[in-house]
Amino acid sequence: MSVYGAILAGGTGSRMTNHSIPKQFIELKNKPIIIRTIERMLSSNCFDKLFIAIHTDYTEYLKDLLKENNIPDNKIYITNGGKERIDSIRNVMKAIKDNGAEYNDVIITHDAVRPFISKRIIEDSIKAVNEFGACVAVVPAVDTMYVLDNNEYISSFPDRKTLFNGQAPDSFKFGILDDALNKLTEEEAKIITGTVQICAAKGYKIKTIKGDYTNIKITTENDLSIAEGILRELETNESLCINK
Amino acid sequence: MSVYGAILAGGTGSRMTNHSIPKQFIELKNKPIIIRTIERMLSSNCFDKLFIAIHTDYTEYLKDLLKENNIPDNKIYITNGGKERIDSIRNVMKAIKDNGAEYNDVIITHDAVRPFISKRIIEDSIKAVNEFGACVAVVPAVDTMYVLDNNEYISSFPDRKTLFNGQAPDSFKFGILDDALNKLTEEEAKIITGTVQICAAKGYKIKTIKGDYTNIKITTENDLSIAEGILRELETNESLCINK
């Protein structure tokens, strides 16, 4: 059984006002976020290969960054990020299939801008995929959540005990995600872009594993401040580091 | 019409490992969080009086802090925080009633550990209470949320477009919150502790107003790092400051 990582980094935009480059290339303490994500996934020693879907405008740029950061290229495979997230997923799946993937191989899809993925989360994901076929990392909802009606009144109070925030990675047996993608209609592909929703739409049950509140997605300036704080914590607390 | 602020600071515990004092007293850049909350609410010039519900063990401590920070005491009224949050709410409501509150007066209940409340949020809350009777500050959900079943499988995907994170303040016509509290049974009081839920349980419709992603609640070390980042932003961006 092989384990493939799939980093989805197709986006070319940034919601961060002070930056003109896509958010995955923004530096977090002198190192681009995507490089931190790649390093952390590789250092878990869990992956046979990491597939990265990236917009062709940035392929050479990413290759240069990998070289500058001394990341060995024997485990990295760069493929085209599509126009939409679903296209990136399809391109990555095709590349993994061409690599000889089999039904029971594990594919762990992750966000380029979620650099604090831990070895524990990766290992739990692999275990859950082997046992249940598909899983996603989640954390219990902290805030009280409200459902609003069209007039901005509260219409219901979801029960917080059963409510969870979805994180990444989303992980699957290769054959399950492949089957769900193949069965997705063009209409569905327009509205469903998450791999978890794709598999659920095609009848697969999705198990959850425990994520981590530090496993944040960096999309705003505010997130970048939080990330700096988390990084400081990780660097001063050895038990939180991967293999270091 | 009078406007009363109610700061609920009854808690005596802290989830933050490095601190032995209740979280509202932890310093954020050399100033206790609760002092920042009080200063920010007062500087909005929206309140006739601020009622603070605090555990009796900390009453004198809070009084000393108010003095140290030169906060004029003519607008501050300290009352006992109860054992549970609902007790704090009842004690504050009694104190406000004793102050001569009338049905249409506005009560704005806020968390002691949410120091970045803005003048805009306060003004919007007052407006919404006058028009709709009750409101709460919310922000659109950013994360994908999942509802889990007992076996930790995803059982449903709430529609993110209608899903919002509740913040504070929760604001009401005094008469509405008073009525809802009076009608609450002892059974209900054991499970419902939020003022919004109390009023909703008694049939009042709750309008929402736009909160702010900076209007965070500080309950963990991680939140404290975020708060430091927000504070830096606020201090360098005058447009975000209240009256300064």
Side-chain angles (χ1 to χ4, degrees):
Chain A
M1 181 204 78
S2 300
V3 177
Y4 301 108
I7 297 179
L8 302 175
T12 55
S14 176
R15 279 205 279 156
M16 294 191 230
T17 43
N18 303 333
H19 304 275
S20 55
I21 48 173
K23 54 187 186 292
Q24 61 264 31
F25 294 116
I26 291 170
E27 293 199 346
L28 176 59
K29 209 180 165 197
N30 304 323
K31 192 178 277 191
I33 295 170
I34 189 169
I35 295 297
R36 291 192 176 275
T37 306
I38 293 168
E39 282 185 348
R40 223 161 138 86
M41 289 178 79
L42 284 179
S43 67
S44 74
N45 283 324
C46 292
F47 294 98
D48 293 282
K49 212 157 206 170
L50 270 194
F51 289 78
I52 305 168
I54 197 149
H55 192 280
T56 46
D57 288 357
Y58 292 95
T59 306
E60 288 308 312
Y61 184 59
L62 176 61
K63 283 183 181 167
D64 290 345
L65 285 179
L66 291 169
K67 208 170 289 175
E68 273 170 40
N69 287 278
N70 300 313
I71 295 177
D73 59 4
N74 61 323
K75 284 203 166 185
I76 303 279
Y77 186 97
I78 298 176
T79 182
N80 293 347
K83 202 170 146 226
E84 304 292 337
R85 190 174 168 94
I86 184 96
D87 304 315
S88 293
I89 296 167
R90 282 182 167 140
N91 289 349
V92 154
M93 286 296 283
K94 188 181 176 308
I96 296 177
K97 189 178 256 176
D98 293 346
N99 194 67
E102 295 178 3
Y103 191 96
N104 284 324
D105 287 346
V106 177
I107 168 162
I108 294 187
T109 68
H110 194 57
D111 298 320
V113 289
R114 225 182 256 275
F116 301 120
I117 182 171
S118 69
K119 181 169 180 148
R120 198 269 308 155
I121 288 177
I122 296 165
E123 288 176 341
D124 284 359
S125 298
I126 294 169
K127 254 184 252 167
V129 166
N130 285 331
E131 193 171 352
F132 307 104
C135 74
V136 58
V138 301
V139 288
V142 171
D143 287 0
T144 299
M145 305 295 294
Y146 302 123
V147 176
L148 268 54
D149 66 19
N150 287 337
N151 297 315
E152 298 176 347
Y153 283 99
I154 295 175
S155 65
S156 70
F157 300 81
D159 179 5
R160 201 169 61 180
K161 285 196 297 295
T162 66
L163 203 62
F164 288 72
N165 291 55
Q167 297 191 330
D170 307 347
S171 308
F172 312 88
K173 289 195 174 182
F174 175 82
I176 286 179
L177 182 54
D178 188 47
D179 177 59
L181 272 173
N182 287 336
K183 287 179 179 162
L184 205 68
T185 65
E186 280 314 301
E187 280 309 298
E188 287 171 328
K190 275 179 204 156
I191 47 170
I192 308 177
T193 57
T195 45
V196 162
Q197 284 82 347
I198 290 168
C199 290
K202 293 304 155 186
Y204 291 105
K205 288 194 77 177
I206 314 291
K207 186 79 174 176
T208 55
I209 64 139
K210 207 164 101 20
D212 195 309
Y213 287 106
T214 60
N215 180 29
I216 64 163
K217 187 171 182 175
I218 305 174
T219 54
T220 65
E221 289 287 345
N222 203 21
D223 296 335
L224 208 56
S225 299
I226 301 170
E228 281 162 12
I230 293 172
L231 195 61
R232 270 195 304 274
E233 289 247 333
L234 287 174
E235 286 175 345
T236 54
N237 188 342
E238 281 203 20
S239 69
L240 293 172
C241 291
I242 284 191
N243 295 340
K244 278 179 194 172
Chain B
M1 181 203 80
S2 299
V3 177
Y4 301 108
I7 297 178
L8 303 174
T12 55
S14 176
R15 280 203 280 155
M16 296 191 228
T17 44
N18 303 332
H19 304 274
S20 56
I21 48 171
K23 55 186 185 294
Q24 61 266 28
F25 294 116
I26 291 171
E27 293 200 346
L28 175 60
K29 211 183 165 195
N30 305 322
K31 191 177 277 190
I33 295 170
I34 189 170
I35 296 296
R36 291 192 176 275
T37 305
I38 293 168
E39 283 184 346
R40 224 162 136 85
M41 288 177 79
L42 285 179
S43 67
S44 74
N45 283 325
C46 292
F47 294 98
D48 293 283
K49 211 156 205 170
L50 271 193
F51 289 78
I52 305 169
I54 197 147
H55 192 281
T56 47
D57 287 357
Y58 292 95
T59 306
E60 288 308 313
Y61 184 58
L62 176 61
K63 282 183 181 166
D64 290 344
L65 285 178
L66 291 169
K67 209 171 287 174
E68 273 170 40
N69 287 277
N70 300 314
I71 295 176
D73 61 2
N74 61 324
K75 284 203 166 184
I76 304 277
Y77 187 97
I78 299 177
T79 181
N80 293 349
K83 203 170 147 227
E84 305 292 337
R85 191 176 168 90
I86 184 94
D87 304 316
S88 293
I89 295 167
R90 283 183 167 140
N91 289 349
V92 153
M93 286 296 283
K94 188 180 174 308
I96 296 178
K97 190 179 256 176
D98 292 345
N99 194 68
E102 297 179 1
Y103 191 95
N104 283 324
D105 287 346
V106 177
I107 169 162
I108 295 187
T109 68
H110 195 57
D111 298 320
V113 289
R114 225 182 254 275
F116 302 120
I117 182 172
S118 68
K119 181 169 179 145
R120 198 270 306 156
I121 289 177
I122 296 166
E123 288 176 340
D124 284 0
S125 298
I126 295 170
K127 254 184 250 167
V129 167
N130 284 332
E131 193 170 356
F132 306 105
C135 73
V136 57
V138 301
V139 288
V142 171
D143 286 2
T144 299
M145 304 295 294
Y146 302 124
V147 176
L148 268 55
D149 66 19
N150 287 337
N151 297 313
E152 298 177 346
Y153 283 100
I154 294 175
S155 67
S156 69
F157 301 81
D159 180 4
R160 200 169 62 182
K161 286 195 295 295
T162 66
L163 202 62
F164 288 73
N165 292 54
Q167 298 191 330
D170 307 346
S171 309
F172 311 88
K173 288 194 176 183
F174 175 82
I176 287 179
L177 182 54
D178 188 48
D179 177 60
L181 272 172
N182 288 336
K183 288 180 177 160
L184 205 68
T185 66
E186 279 315 301
E187 280 310 299
E188 287 171 327
K190 275 181 203 152
I191 45 170
I192 308 177
T193 58
T195 45
V196 162
Q197 285 82 347
I198 290 168
C199 290
K202 294 304 156 187
Y204 291 106
K205 289 195 75 177
I206 314 291
K207 186 78 176 179
T208 56
I209 64 140
K210 209 163 103 12
D212 195 311
Y213 287 106
T214 60
N215 180 29
I216 64 164
K217 187 172 181 173
I218 304 174
T219 54
T220 65
E221 290 287 346
N222 204 20
D223 296 333
L224 209 54
S225 299
I226 300 170
E228 280 161 13
I230 293 172
L231 195 60
R232 269 196 303 275
E233 289 245 335
L234 288 173
E235 287 175 344
T236 53
N237 189 342
E238 281 202 22
S239 69
L240 293 173
C241 290
I242 284 191
N243 294 341
K244 279 180 191 172

